[in-house]
Amino acid sequence: MKKTLYFRIILAYILFGLFGFIAVATVVSRLTTEYCIRDKARMLYGEASRISDTYALQLYRSKIKLEDVQAQMEALSSYMDTEIWILNPSGRMVVNSGKAPDPGQETYVEDFDSTIIAGNYYTIGRFFNSFDEEVLSVIAPITNDFKIRGYVAIHLPMSRIQTDADNMLNLSYMLLVILLVLSLIILFFFTEYVYRPLRRIIAAAEQYALGNMHYHIPVESEDELGYLSASLGYMADTIARSEDDQKKFIANISHDFRSPLTSMRGFLEAMLDGTIPPERFSHYLEVVLGETERLTKLTNGLLTLNNLNTGGILLQRTDFDINAVIRSVAASFEQTCRAKKIHIRLVLTGKILFVNADLEKIQQVLYNLVDNALKFSHEDSEITIDTTEKGDTVFISVRDSGIGIPKEDQKLIWDRFYKTDLSRGKDKKGTGLGLSIVREIIRAHDENINMVSTEGVGSTFTFTLRRSEKNDALSSLGEPEVDVRE
Ligand code: ADP
């Protein structure tokens, strides 16, 4: 990363400073001088007009003495730091604040021409070679009876105006320096609070890209960057955890596939090498068949879970009678119930209770829950399946009085392949996938499932479903129906 963000910002800063100085030295300098000239000229012209309307006019009307006007002009010019002249139209000097005209000797402004200021009220130059340096001159006519009797001219050295302009320009330079110092401070804060944390986040992203998911980003500020680094850290944690899960998952699959394969191989080898006599073949082939069934169950479970996880299966929601589904699932376990002398008691709300869900998936949920309840129940016990309604929700519970689930395992039973130690003796064929499938199906429905269990007392699994509006149309709800099945 050669052209870093920081490099660009520094470059922009330097260019900003450079252009700032060039702008002040050229454009601003010119504008300031022009402004000072115009301002001074306006002020001097005002003064010249005032003099022409008062002293000068009175002088031409002989209402005031020449010496008095001369004295007034001297006082005024020393106050304004200018030179004030009163001239005849021909250019003869009548009053000169800089030097009182000699009464015996007439002084002229050579080649005086009042049109020098044509179209303007000021001019810059040496005023008909009257000065050694450049001056700003304003000329105001003295009019009496609609005739021009003379002119009042005021001169101000340009060097004075330039000094004023320079002073103003210095102010602009100072402002520019203050601006640059301020932006330097902003640059410093940007470096500390944006650029450095950003570099750390980039370094962390590089580490994550290299696979080091446990790298900690040292950015803990409470702003957007802090939030970004926390999100990245969380993402890395999640990836690390999912990698761990993946490894565990593969290890579990391998283990669960290997044990039936090992036992099948053992039996088949024993049959081939004669350890198992031919008359016992049918027995061991049954065992081998049992193991293949287990492998099929495992494969099917994995496939179902995979489809549910990747959202591969879309729910096919319909309105169906959950009571009927419960009855048919319970009926499918009749054989097992008889063998274990277990009663399935159905406590169902109404004869018909419509829910809106995916029929096949809910059948699978019920099947898995009842299958577990049966597996982990003691002989000669009872399993209860009940349905209740609350508003728009239907609650379905499967309760057994079996071995129960130890407290420390209660959170883990929903994980793939998890089996409690307590249950291992009772169920050797379990895959540990049943409850994961149940949870995924209920999640896909946006519903809830929970479990209450006490070790040695029994477990109750309860899940919710959305009540169908079809019930209201039928309104055939009656007394709770109690159906006891053996
Ligand atoms: P499995 O195929 O082993 O039954 P599940 O995911 O359905 O897999 O269940 C996971 C584990 O949770 C079981 O192995 C068992 O230890 C425990 N479990 C599930 N249901 C019950 C129950 N009704 N009573 C006691 N333990 C249960």
Side-chain angles (χ1 to χ4, degrees):
M1 203 170 22
K2 287 278 166 285
K3 280 187 182 160
T4 60
L5 189 65
Y6 197 58
F7 169 76
R8 285 176 198 177
I9 287 170
I10 294 283
L11 196 70
Y13 179 76
I14 292 170
L15 286 180
F16 168 66
L18 217 65
F19 282 124
F21 271 107
I22 292 172
V24 171
T26 56
V27 182
V28 178
S29 160
R30 212 188 62 227
L31 290 177
T32 312
T33 312
E34 276 174 13
Y35 170 78
C36 284
I37 290 171
R38 245 178 287 124
D39 188 52
K40 275 278 186 260
R42 202 180 314 118
M43 199 262 286
L44 294 179
Y45 187 76
E47 201 54 43
S49 304
R50 204 176 60 79
I51 293 170
S52 86
D53 287 348
T54 52
Y55 298 110
L57 201 59
Q58 283 168 0
L59 184 70
Y60 278 100
R61 286 178 179 165
S62 306
K63 284 188 178 162
I64 193 168
K65 279 198 277 184
L66 184 65
E67 297 78 48
D68 290 344
V69 177
Q70 175 73 32
Q72 283 291 344
M73 291 307 109
E74 278 174 18
L76 203 61
S77 76
S78 79
Y79 168 69
M80 294 199 306
D81 211 4
T82 53
E83 208 161 290
I84 305 173
W85 295 353
I86 297 177
L87 301 165
N88 265 354
S90 60
R92 187 173 67 82
M93 190 80 78
V94 181
V95 173
N96 181 347
S97 69
K99 184 172 153 247
D102 190 346
Q105 195 191 339
E106 289 188 337
T107 324
Y108 279 88
V109 173
E110 293 285 331
D111 304 326
F112 175 68
D113 178 5
S114 65
T115 56
I116 189 171
I117 54 156
N120 213 334
Y121 52 89
Y122 70 89
T123 174
I124 296 169
R126 290 167 58 192
F127 204 71
F128 307 101
N129 283 328
S130 311
F131 294 93
D132 297 333
E133 57 172 336
E134 286 218 313
V135 291
L136 168 76
S137 308
V138 295
I139 305 174
I142 307 161
T143 44
N144 187 27
D145 291 340
F146 305 108
K147 270 194 183 157
I148 292 180
R149 303 291 177 189
Y151 297 95
V152 175
I154 304 181
H155 313 284
L156 178 69
M158 279 303 286
S159 54
R160 281 273 326 278
I161 295 176
Q162 199 53 56
T163 314
D164 283 358
D166 286 348
N167 286 342
M168 277 175 81
L169 206 62
N170 283 345
L171 219 74
S172 303
Y173 278 119
M174 259 163 66
L175 257 163
L176 186 70
V177 169
I178 291 172
L179 219 69
L180 284 176
V181 171
L182 275 179
S183 39
L184 204 66
I185 293 171
I186 293 172
L187 192 68
F188 169 77
F189 277 102
F190 170 81
T191 311
E192 272 309 298
Y193 296 105
V194 178
Y195 183 67
R196 281 190 205 287
L198 208 59
R199 294 287 314 167
R200 286 187 207 124
I201 291 172
I202 291 167
E206 282 166 358
Q207 286 296 318
Y208 295 151
L210 291 173
N212 181 8
M213 291 298 167
H214 295 286
Y215 184 83
H216 170 72
I217 313 177
V219 177
E220 267 141 27
S221 53
E222 281 180 8
D223 52 18
E224 284 83 350
L225 288 172
Y227 182 71
L228 176 66
S229 76
S231 306
L232 265 181
Y234 181 73
M235 184 198 77
D237 274 354
T238 313
I239 293 174
R241 221 176 308 126
S242 98
E243 274 177 1
D244 288 349
D245 283 354
Q246 202 88 4
K247 277 184 199 148
K248 240 187 274 166
F249 182 59
I250 304 275
N252 281 331
I253 295 182
S254 316
H255 176 264
D256 277 56
F257 270 87
R258 204 167 36 210
S259 42
L261 282 172
T262 316
S263 89
M264 277 162 32
R265 187 195 169 107
F267 289 132
L268 293 174
E269 276 174 355
M271 283 157 125
L272 278 177
D273 66 16
T275 319
I276 295 174
E279 59 272 23
R280 300 279 293 148
F281 275 14
S282 62
H283 169 74
Y284 285 101
L285 282 175
E286 290 269 337
V287 178
V288 169
L289 202 64
E291 292 294 342
T292 61
E293 263 168 30
R294 199 175 146 212
L295 281 176
T296 311
K297 205 170 145 193
L298 198 65
T299 319
N300 288 342
L302 280 171
L303 273 176
T304 311
L305 253 186
N306 193 42
N307 285 337
L308 288 169
N309 278 342
T310 52
I313 291 180
L314 286 175
L315 292 182
Q316 291 184 331
R317 282 181 179 273
T318 49
D319 291 323
F320 63 86
D321 176 14
I322 187 73
N323 288 349
V325 176
I326 292 172
R327 280 192 207 100
S328 83
V329 169
S332 71
F333 283 100
E334 227 175 277
Q335 279 294 101
T336 328
C337 285
R338 196 162 290 142
K340 282 187 87 173
K341 296 202 194 85
I342 289 175
H343 304 263
I344 297 183
R345 200 162 79 97
L346 304 182
V347 184
L348 308 175
T349 300
K351 275 199 170 61
I352 294 170
L353 180 55
F354 279 103
V355 291
N356 182 270
D358 185 317
L359 171 62
E360 248 180 60
K361 305 262 171 342
I362 297 304
Q363 243 170 353
Q364 168 131 42
V365 167
L366 277 166
Y367 184 88
N368 287 4
L369 292 180
V370 176
D371 186 43
N372 279 348
L374 275 167
K375 279 192 297 193
F376 305 116
S377 278
H378 306 295
E379 284 204 356
D380 235 341
S381 63
E382 190 172 75
I383 291 169
T384 309
I385 308 176
D386 66 55
T387 53
T388 45
E389 277 183 281
K390 218 178 214 176
D392 280 343
T393 310
V394 172
F395 293 83
I396 299 115
S397 298
V398 178
R399 186 167 64 244
D400 65 64
S401 45
I403 58 172
I405 302 164
K407 242 192 164 51
E408 62 274 16
D409 292 321
Q410 290 189 359
K411 266 199 176 146
L412 304 168
I413 52 161
W414 307 100
D415 291 349
R416 288 177 292 196
F417 297 111
Y418 193 81
K419 297 181 210 172
T420 67
D421 287 338
L422 204 64
S423 69
R424 282 183 203 275
K426 283 234 168 224
D427 172 43
K428 291 194 177 61
K429 285 194 176 166
T431 58
L433 293 176
L435 286 180
S436 311
I437 293 172
V438 165
R439 188 178 59 170
E440 290 304 328
I441 291 175
I442 297 297
R443 263 191 193 163
H445 279 81
D446 255 341
E447 296 291 343
N448 297 308
I449 179 158
N450 64 42
M451 171 267 310
V452 181
S453 182
T454 311
E455 196 178 336
V457 177
S459 317
T460 306
F461 287 81
T462 306
F463 64 95
T464 59
L465 285 179
R466 202 196 307 157
R467 185 178 177 275
S468 159
E469 283 164 8
K470 221 169 158 183
N471 291 308
D472 307 321
L474 290 171
S475 69
S476 60
L477 303 178
E479 285 296 300
E481 177 199 356
V482 179
D483 183 358
V484 182
R485 191 177 296 272
E486 199 172 296

